[in-house]
Amino acid sequence: MQKFALIVIAALAALVFANPLQAGYYRDDCKPYCVIKKVRAQDGYGNPVIKKIRICT
């Protein structure tokens, strides 16, 4: 009976902590941080091309 109670408690604890993360919820210290960088290059005709690249951590 004690093993069953421990299994139920462990399962409930796992669900409580896993569900907010699956729903897209982030804690304050785990929020993704994104930086947008501009990359300058030239196309085949010599025209300047600016690409925006988003880097998220």
Side-chain angles (χ1 to χ4, degrees), residues 19-32:
N19 279 344
L21 295 177
Q22 290 176 355
Y25 170 77
Y26 294 102
R27 295 185 321 205
D28 290 333
D29 58 343
C30 296
K31 287 185 180 179

Side-chain angles (χ1 to χ4, degrees), residues 14 16 21 26 37 43 54:
V16 167
L21 295 177
Y26 294 102
K37 289 189 173 186
D43 63 2
R54 191 168 85 180

Side-chain angles (χ1 to χ4, degrees), residues 1-33:
M1 189 67 175
Q2 289 178 342
K3 287 183 181 179
F4 179 73
L6 289 176
I7 291 172
V8 170
I9 292 171
L12 286 175
L15 289 175
V16 167
F17 290 114
N19 279 344
L21 295 177
Q22 290 176 355
Y25 170 77
Y26 294 102
R27 295 185 321 205
D28 290 333
D29 58 343
C30 296
K31 287 185 180 179
Y33 178 73

